[in-house]
Amino acid sequence: MPKKIFSGVQPTGNLHLGNYLGAIKNFVDLNNDKENNCIFCVVDLHAITVKQDKDQLKNNIRETTAAFIASGIDPSRSIIFNQSEVQAHAEGSWMLSCMAPMGWLNRMTQFKEKAGKDKEKASVGLYIYPILMASDILLYDTSHVPVGEDQKQHLELTRDIAQKFNKDFDCRDFLKVPEPLIQKDFSRIMSLKDGLKKMSKSDPSDLSRINLTDSEDEIINKIKKAKTDSFPIPNEDQKLINRPEALNLLGIYSSISNQNLNKTLDEFGGKNFSDLKVKLAEILSSKISPISNEIKKLISDKQYLDKLLLEGANKAEAIAGKKIKEMKKIIGF
Ligand code: TYM
């Protein structure tokens, strides 16, 4: 069955290996299947849930678009656009927020993590952000949503919201209930400095992540400095319990090499981390440096990127605008 794919990435800078292995690499595979209809969105409305620098935001929107293309998404076989250009996303988000109970949002762990201790100071936008995400997905009758593991709860909420809307307004199957596509293994890439913390754009230490714009030297240096432990690499995955840094580096190696963890353990079991690090830096450089170079090339052609986003927005508008009209009719406007 052809899939209707929708996914989004925030243009908040520092796109990293976690974004790539957890999501974008999967976007590329799905896009390579000519049967699928793919929509990839630069979710700039999501980005402003925390303060953004005006000029930086514009650059980041272009950089995220460039990263999609540089990673292998074919713009002639997908719709790529930025969210703020299609009004239906914000409109749909409002309508859905009027029927989503606060209790459901109160359960969202990502809000708790991002808001930190002083949640009174977090923006209302950060709190209702998962509803905007539901609107993004539901406006396109999406069947599948490729994401990293950290978005699982938001996907579950999206499914609940779709079902509640259909029930409340007695419109069975109007909002399609989407399936998450979360890779079975390595769907949560961890920080290079702390195997218990997710690799993240906002980590103050640049050494904690491999950025998609890093040069070969930077990649080699970061892998050299990545945290490990003092034991040799084991032969079986059971022996990786309570060894988060070891598991993370072996997971990254497996994911980027498209092989399972056991095969990686066959390769490195009994060896030292220095052996793994040499090979890991080599393969990461060979896969990430071409992406990094292509991002830099694409980003210098602002006109091309802006035109692509505009064309994408027009196509997205045609789909989402129609859905929002139907939604308004169902509600009674
Ligand atoms: P964002 O911008 O934080 O991340 C983009 C994608 O990268 C994945 N990801 C990771 N995967 C594995 N390991 C990591 N360390 C890691 N860090 C990030 C995320 O899971 C995500 O798939 N709310 C979303 C964006 C969004 C969206 C949507 C996604 C808005 N609307 C509709 C899908 C459908 C977010 O903030 O992703």
Side-chain angles (χ1 to χ4, degrees):
M1 277 287 283
K3 298 184 178 80
K4 283 192 178 178
I5 306 290
F6 184 100
S7 199
V9 175
Q10 291 197 52
T12 37
N14 296 338
L15 276 182
H16 53 72
L17 190 65
N19 299 126
Y20 179 70
L21 294 178
I24 300 173
K25 186 165 159 272
N26 215 1
F27 299 176
V28 175
D29 292 342
L30 290 160
N31 186 225
N32 281 341
D33 183 340
K34 295 194 173 63
E35 294 274 290
N36 295 333
N37 287 309
C38 295
I39 305 182
F40 301 114
C41 186
V42 180
V43 290
D44 50 7
L45 293 175
H46 277 90
I48 63 161
T49 54
V50 295
K51 194 160 171 23
Q52 299 294 327
D53 174 87
K54 191 175 147 195
D55 297 324
Q56 199 66 46
L57 179 61
K58 203 163 238 163
N59 284 334
N60 287 339
I61 292 169
R62 292 193 183 109
E63 190 176 286
T64 307
T65 310
F68 284 167
I69 301 165
S71 301
I73 292 173
D74 180 350
S76 71
R77 273 197 296 107
S78 55
I79 299 176
I80 300 176
F81 74 107
N82 62 313
Q83 192 184 26
S84 63
E85 286 297 314
V86 179
Q87 282 177 24
H89 289 250
E91 239 183 313
S93 174
W94 176 253
M95 289 186 246
L96 296 175
S97 72
C98 291
M99 37 81 39
M102 281 177 65
W104 289 2
L105 282 178
N106 287 340
R107 291 205 292 265
M108 297 297 114
T109 52
Q110 197 171 74
F111 173 75
K112 289 176 197 157
E113 280 162 24
K114 287 200 171 171
K117 283 199 188 86
D118 202 355
K119 73 174 196 291
E120 297 292 313
K121 283 200 181 142
S123 70
V124 176
L126 190 67
Y127 178 65
I128 61 167
Y129 150 131
I131 301 186
L132 178 59
M133 184 163 159
S135 172
D136 301 339
I137 296 166
L138 299 174
L139 285 172
Y140 296 89
D141 293 341
T142 303
S143 66
H144 293 84
V145 187
V147 280
E149 201 267 336
D150 62 334
Q151 298 299 319
K152 189 169 176 229
Q153 199 183 28
H154 293 161
L155 257 296
E156 281 159 6
L157 182 81
T158 300
R159 290 168 59 87
D160 289 344
I161 289 177
Q163 280 160 338
K164 185 167 188 297
F165 185 96
N166 292 343
K167 189 159 170 272
D168 285 1
F169 293 100
D170 199 14
C171 53
R172 211 163 153 231
D173 290 338
F174 170 68
L175 293 181
K176 304 283 177 282
V177 181
E179 294 295 331
L181 283 180
I182 299 173
Q183 297 171 80
K184 199 161 62 56
D185 302 311
F186 329 120
S187 55
R188 194 176 179 86
I189 302 297
M190 309 309 273
S191 156
L192 298 179
K193 287 280 148 201
D194 179 351
L196 296 174
K197 246 171 72 183
K198 197 180 70 168
M199 186 178 282
S200 135
K201 296 169 187 169
S202 54
D203 194 315
S205 167
D206 197 52
L207 289 175
S208 69
R209 62 181 164 262
I210 305 282
N211 299 305
L212 293 189
T213 47
D214 280 348
S215 67
E216 222 169 297
D217 285 348
E218 283 168 317
I219 294 173
I220 293 168
N221 183 41
K222 285 178 180 181
I223 293 299
K224 214 181 255 171
K225 294 200 168 136
K227 191 174 168 197
T228 54
D229 54 35
S230 48
F231 307 102
I233 297 171
N235 291 298
E236 324 157 30
D237 56 358
Q238 282 303 311
K239 295 201 174 137
L240 284 167
I241 294 169
N242 295 328
R243 296 183 62 186
E245 284 83 18
L247 178 63
N248 191 37
L249 290 185
L250 290 159
I252 293 174
Y253 184 84
S254 308
S255 179
I256 197 96
S257 321
N258 291 316
Q259 66 184 29
N260 64 35
L261 185 60
N262 284 332
K263 176 117 198 290
T264 301
L265 290 175
D266 285 346
E267 202 175 328
F268 293 103
K271 293 190 177 160
N272 293 320
F273 281 105
S274 51
D275 300 314
L276 171 67
K277 282 184 169 187
V278 169
K279 287 274 180 196
L280 182 57
E282 230 169 61
I283 190 158
L284 281 173
S285 303
S286 75
K287 301 264 178 170
I288 302 298
S289 302
I291 296 178
S292 170
N293 293 339
E294 189 63 16
I295 292 177
K296 284 172 195 145
K297 207 166 89 196
L298 284 164
I299 214 153
S300 65
D301 194 349
K302 290 183 187 165
Q303 254 184 333
Y304 166 73
L305 293 172
D306 291 352
K307 185 165 168 273
L308 189 101
L309 285 172
L310 189 65
E311 283 169 7
N314 289 336
K315 289 182 197 157
E317 170 65 38
I319 305 168
K322 185 164 168 264
K323 192 77 180 175
I324 210 87
K325 270 200 189 124
E326 289 167 6
M327 203 163 152
K328 283 177 163 173
K329 218 161 137 193
I330 287 171
I331 288 177
F333 289 135

mmCIF file with all atom_site columns, all heavy atoms in Angstrom, residues 280-293:
data_model
loop_
_atom_site.group_PDB
_atom_site.id
_atom_site.type_symbol
_atom_site.label_atom_id
_atom_site.label_alt_id
_atom_site.label_comp_id
_atom_site.label_asym_id
_atom_site.label_entity_id
_atom_site.label_seq_id
_atom_site.pdbx_PDB_ins_code
_atom_site.Cartn_x
_atom_site.Cartn_y
_atom_site.Cartn_z
_atom_site.occupancy
_atom_site.B_iso_or_equiv
_atom_site.pdbx_formal_charge
_atom_site.auth_seq_id
_atom_site.auth_comp_id
_atom_site.auth_asym_id
_atom_site.auth_atom_id
_atom_site.pdbx_PDB_model_num
ATOM 1   N N   . LEU A 1 280 ? 34.627 4.245  13.453 1.00 0.00 ? 280 LEU A N   1
ATOM 2   C CA  . LEU A 1 280 ? 33.416 5.072  13.548 1.00 0.00 ? 280 LEU A CA  1
ATOM 3   C C   . LEU A 1 280 ? 33.657 6.445  12.921 1.00 0.00 ? 280 LEU A C   1
ATOM 4   O O   . LEU A 1 280 ? 32.839 6.947  12.141 1.00 0.00 ? 280 LEU A O   1
ATOM 5   C CB  . LEU A 1 280 ? 32.995 5.200  15.020 1.00 0.00 ? 280 LEU A CB  1
ATOM 6   C CG  . LEU A 1 280 ? 31.717 5.988  15.309 1.00 0.00 ? 280 LEU A CG  1
ATOM 7   C CD1 . LEU A 1 280 ? 30.524 5.405  14.560 1.00 0.00 ? 280 LEU A CD1 1
ATOM 8   C CD2 . LEU A 1 280 ? 31.406 6.004  16.815 1.00 0.00 ? 280 LEU A CD2 1
ATOM 9   N N   . ALA A 1 281 ? 34.817 7.032  13.256 1.00 0.00 ? 281 ALA A N   1
ATOM 10  C CA  . ALA A 1 281 ? 35.135 8.349  12.694 1.00 0.00 ? 281 ALA A CA  1
ATOM 11  C C   . ALA A 1 281 ? 35.235 8.256  11.172 1.00 0.00 ? 281 ALA A C   1
ATOM 12  O O   . ALA A 1 281 ? 34.766 9.142  10.448 1.00 0.00 ? 281 ALA A O   1
ATOM 13  C CB  . ALA A 1 281 ? 36.447 8.859  13.286 1.00 0.00 ? 281 ALA A CB  1
ATOM 14  N N   . GLU A 1 282 ? 35.793 7.144  10.705 1.00 0.00 ? 282 GLU A N   1
ATOM 15  C CA  . GLU A 1 282 ? 35.958 6.943  9.254  1.00 0.00 ? 282 GLU A CA  1
ATOM 16  C C   . GLU A 1 282 ? 34.604 6.894  8.551  1.00 0.00 ? 282 GLU A C   1
ATOM 17  O O   . GLU A 1 282 ? 34.360 7.621  7.587  1.00 0.00 ? 282 GLU A O   1
ATOM 18  C CB  . GLU A 1 282 ? 36.634 5.579  9.053  1.00 0.00 ? 282 GLU A CB  1
ATOM 19  C CG  . GLU A 1 282 ? 37.833 5.582  8.162  1.00 0.00 ? 282 GLU A CG  1
ATOM 20  C CD  . GLU A 1 282 ? 38.531 4.232  8.278  1.00 0.00 ? 282 GLU A CD  1
ATOM 21  O OE1 . GLU A 1 282 ? 37.913 3.197  7.961  1.00 0.00 ? 282 GLU A OE1 1
ATOM 22  O OE2 . GLU A 1 282 ? 39.710 4.218  8.722  1.00 0.00 ? 282 GLU A OE2 1
ATOM 23  N N   . ILE A 1 283 ? 33.717 6.062  9.087  1.00 0.00 ? 283 ILE A N   1
ATOM 24  C CA  . ILE A 1 283 ? 32.425 5.893  8.389  1.00 0.00 ? 283 ILE A CA  1
ATOM 25  C C   . ILE A 1 283 ? 31.554 7.142  8.539  1.00 0.00 ? 283 ILE A C   1
ATOM 26  O O   . ILE A 1 283 ? 30.872 7.552  7.591  1.00 0.00 ? 283 ILE A O   1
ATOM 27  C CB  . ILE A 1 283 ? 31.684 4.589  8.817  1.00 0.00 ? 283 ILE A CB  1
ATOM 28  C CG1 . ILE A 1 283 ? 30.496 4.373  7.881  1.00 0.00 ? 283 ILE A CG1 1
ATOM 29  C CG2 . ILE A 1 283 ? 31.226 4.598  10.248 1.00 0.00 ? 283 ILE A CG2 1
ATOM 30  C CD1 . ILE A 1 283 ? 29.990 2.981  7.806  1.00 0.00 ? 283 ILE A CD1 1
ATOM 31  N N   . LEU A 1 284 ? 31.634 7.785  9.715  1.00 0.00 ? 284 LEU A N   1
ATOM 32  C CA  . LEU A 1 284 ? 30.838 9.013  9.886  1.00 0.00 ? 284 LEU A CA  1
ATOM 33  C C   . LEU A 1 284 ? 31.324 10.092 8.924  1.00 0.00 ? 284 LEU A C   1
ATOM 34  O O   . LEU A 1 284 ? 30.522 10.779 8.293  1.00 0.00 ? 284 LEU A O   1
ATOM 35  C CB  . LEU A 1 284 ? 30.917 9.516  11.329 1.00 0.00 ? 284 LEU A CB  1
ATOM 36  C CG  . LEU A 1 284 ? 30.032 8.789  12.345 1.00 0.00 ? 284 LEU A CG  1
ATOM 37  C CD1 . LEU A 1 284 ? 30.333 9.263  13.755 1.00 0.00 ? 284 LEU A CD1 1
ATOM 38  C CD2 . LEU A 1 284 ? 28.551 8.979  12.048 1.00 0.00 ? 284 LEU A CD2 1
ATOM 39  N N   . SER A 1 285 ? 32.650 10.212 8.807  1.00 0.00 ? 285 SER A N   1
ATOM 40  C CA  . SER A 1 285 ? 33.193 11.218 7.879  1.00 0.00 ? 285 SER A CA  1
ATOM 41  C C   . SER A 1 285 ? 32.734 10.923 6.463  1.00 0.00 ? 285 SER A C   1
ATOM 42  O O   . SER A 1 285 ? 32.332 11.824 5.726  1.00 0.00 ? 285 SER A O   1
ATOM 43  C CB  . SER A 1 285 ? 34.716 11.221 7.887  1.00 0.00 ? 285 SER A CB  1
ATOM 44  O OG  . SER A 1 285 ? 35.181 11.444 9.169  1.00 0.00 ? 285 SER A OG  1
ATOM 45  N N   . SER A 1 286 ? 32.774 9.638  6.092  1.00 0.00 ? 286 SER A N   1
ATOM 46  C CA  . SER A 1 286 ? 32.420 9.323  4.697  1.00 0.00 ? 286 SER A CA  1
ATOM 47  C C   . SER A 1 286 ? 30.930 9.557  4.432  1.00 0.00 ? 286 SER A C   1
ATOM 48  O O   . SER A 1 286 ? 30.542 9.837  3.310  1.00 0.00 ? 286 SER A O   1
ATOM 49  C CB  . SER A 1 286 ? 32.826 7.893  4.356  1.00 0.00 ? 286 SER A CB  1
ATOM 50  O OG  . SER A 1 286 ? 31.933 6.992  4.961  1.00 0.00 ? 286 SER A OG  1
ATOM 51  N N   . LYS A 1 287 ? 30.090 9.443  5.472  1.00 0.00 ? 287 LYS A N   1
ATOM 52  C CA  . LYS A 1 287 ? 28.639 9.634  5.242  1.00 0.00 ? 287 LYS A CA  1
ATOM 53  C C   . LYS A 1 287 ? 28.199 11.068 5.511  1.00 0.00 ? 287 LYS A C   1
ATOM 54  O O   . LYS A 1 287 ? 27.308 11.586 4.843  1.00 0.00 ? 287 LYS A O   1
ATOM 55  C CB  . LYS A 1 287 ? 27.827 8.694  6.154  1.00 0.00 ? 287 LYS A CB  1
ATOM 56  C CG  . LYS A 1 287 ? 28.104 7.234  5.966  1.00 0.00 ? 287 LYS A CG  1
ATOM 57  C CD  . LYS A 1 287 ? 27.119 6.574  5.031  1.00 0.00 ? 287 LYS A CD  1
ATOM 58  C CE  . LYS A 1 287 ? 27.514 5.123  4.857  1.00 0.00 ? 287 LYS A CE  1
ATOM 59  N NZ  . LYS A 1 287 ? 26.605 4.282  4.187  1.00 0.00 ? 287 LYS A NZ  1
ATOM 60  N N   . ILE A 1 288 ? 28.773 11.686 6.526  1.00 0.00 ? 288 ILE A N   1
ATOM 61  C CA  . ILE A 1 288 ? 28.281 13.012 6.934  1.00 0.00 ? 288 ILE A CA  1
ATOM 62  C C   . ILE A 1 288 ? 28.971 14.156 6.172  1.00 0.00 ? 288 ILE A C   1
ATOM 63  O O   . ILE A 1 288 ? 28.321 15.141 5.830  1.00 0.00 ? 288 ILE A O   1
ATOM 64  C CB  . ILE A 1 288 ? 28.415 13.211 8.474  1.00 0.00 ? 288 ILE A CB  1
ATOM 65  C CG1 . ILE A 1 288 ? 27.633 12.117 9.229  1.00 0.00 ? 288 ILE A CG1 1
ATOM 66  C CG2 . ILE A 1 288 ? 27.948 14.602 8.922  1.00 0.00 ? 288 ILE A CG2 1
ATOM 67  C CD1 . ILE A 1 288 ? 26.138 12.074 9.006  1.00 0.00 ? 288 ILE A CD1 1
ATOM 68  N N   . SER A 1 289 ? 30.274 14.000 5.889  1.00 0.00 ? 289 SER A N   1
ATOM 69  C CA  . SER A 1 289 ? 30.967 15.110 5.203  1.00 0.00 ? 289 SER A CA  1
ATOM 70  C C   . SER A 1 289 ? 30.331 15.483 3.860  1.00 0.00 ? 289 SER A C   1
ATOM 71  O O   . SER A 1 289 ? 30.170 16.671 3.575  1.00 0.00 ? 289 SER A O   1
ATOM 72  C CB  . SER A 1 289 ? 32.442 14.804 4.991  1.00 0.00 ? 289 SER A CB  1
ATOM 73  O OG  . SER A 1 289 ? 33.035 14.555 6.223  1.00 0.00 ? 289 SER A OG  1
ATOM 74  N N   . PRO A 1 290 ? 29.940 14.499 3.024  1.00 0.00 ? 290 PRO A N   1
ATOM 75  C CA  . PRO A 1 290 ? 29.285 14.895 1.769  1.00 0.00 ? 290 PRO A CA  1
ATOM 76  C C   . PRO A 1 290 ? 27.980 15.674 2.023  1.00 0.00 ? 290 PRO A C   1
ATOM 77  O O   . PRO A 1 290 ? 27.667 16.615 1.293  1.00 0.00 ? 290 PRO A O   1
ATOM 78  C CB  . PRO A 1 290 ? 28.969 13.561 1.079  1.00 0.00 ? 290 PRO A CB  1
ATOM 79  C CG  . PRO A 1 290 ? 29.857 12.561 1.715  1.00 0.00 ? 290 PRO A CG  1
ATOM 80  C CD  . PRO A 1 290 ? 30.136 13.039 3.096  1.00 0.00 ? 290 PRO A CD  1
ATOM 81  N N   . ILE A 1 291 ? 27.266 15.299 3.077  1.00 0.00 ? 291 ILE A N   1
ATOM 82  C CA  . ILE A 1 291 ? 26.015 16.018 3.411  1.00 0.00 ? 291 ILE A CA  1
ATOM 83  C C   . ILE A 1 291 ? 26.375 17.443 3.830  1.00 0.00 ? 291 ILE A C   1
ATOM 84  O O   . ILE A 1 291 ? 25.775 18.421 3.378  1.00 0.00 ? 291 ILE A O   1
ATOM 85  C CB  . ILE A 1 291 ? 25.238 15.282 4.539  1.00 0.00 ? 291 ILE A CB  1
ATOM 86  C CG1 . ILE A 1 291 ? 24.796 13.899 4.059  1.00 0.00 ? 291 ILE A CG1 1
ATOM 87  C CG2 . ILE A 1 291 ? 24.040 16.110 5.015  1.00 0.00 ? 291 ILE A CG2 1
ATOM 88  C CD1 . ILE A 1 291 ? 24.053 13.054 5.092  1.00 0.00 ? 291 ILE A CD1 1
ATOM 89  N N   . SER A 1 292 ? 27.392 17.529 4.689  1.00 0.00 ? 292 SER A N   1
ATOM 90  C CA  . SER A 1 292 ? 27.839 18.832 5.181  1.00 0.00 ? 292 SER A CA  1
ATOM 91  C C   . SER A 1 292 ? 28.255 19.742 4.012  1.00 0.00 ? 292 SER A C   1
ATOM 92  O O   . SER A 1 292 ? 27.853 20.910 3.932  1.00 0.00 ? 292 SER A O   1
ATOM 93  C CB  . SER A 1 292 ? 29.003 18.585 6.142  1.00 0.00 ? 292 SER A CB  1
ATOM 94  O OG  . SER A 1 292 ? 29.624 19.762 6.482  1.00 0.00 ? 292 SER A OG  1
ATOM 95  N N   . ASN A 1 293 ? 29.031 19.186 3.078  1.00 0.00 ? 293 ASN A N   1
ATOM 96  C CA  . ASN A 1 293 ? 29.479 19.983 1.920  1.00 0.00 ? 293 ASN A CA  1
ATOM 97  C C   . ASN A 1 293 ? 28.300 20.434 1.073  1.00 0.00 ? 293 ASN A C   1
ATOM 98  O O   . ASN A 1 293 ? 28.247 21.569 0.610  1.00 0.00 ? 293 ASN A O   1
ATOM 99  C CB  . ASN A 1 293 ? 30.448 19.172 1.043  1.00 0.00 ? 293 ASN A CB  1
ATOM 100 C CG  . ASN A 1 293 ? 31.744 18.911 1.786  1.00 0.00 ? 293 ASN A CG  1
ATOM 101 O OD1 . ASN A 1 293 ? 32.088 19.620 2.739  1.00 0.00 ? 293 ASN A OD1 1
ATOM 102 N ND2 . ASN A 1 293 ? 32.459 17.869 1.386  1.00 0.00 ? 293 ASN A ND2 1
#
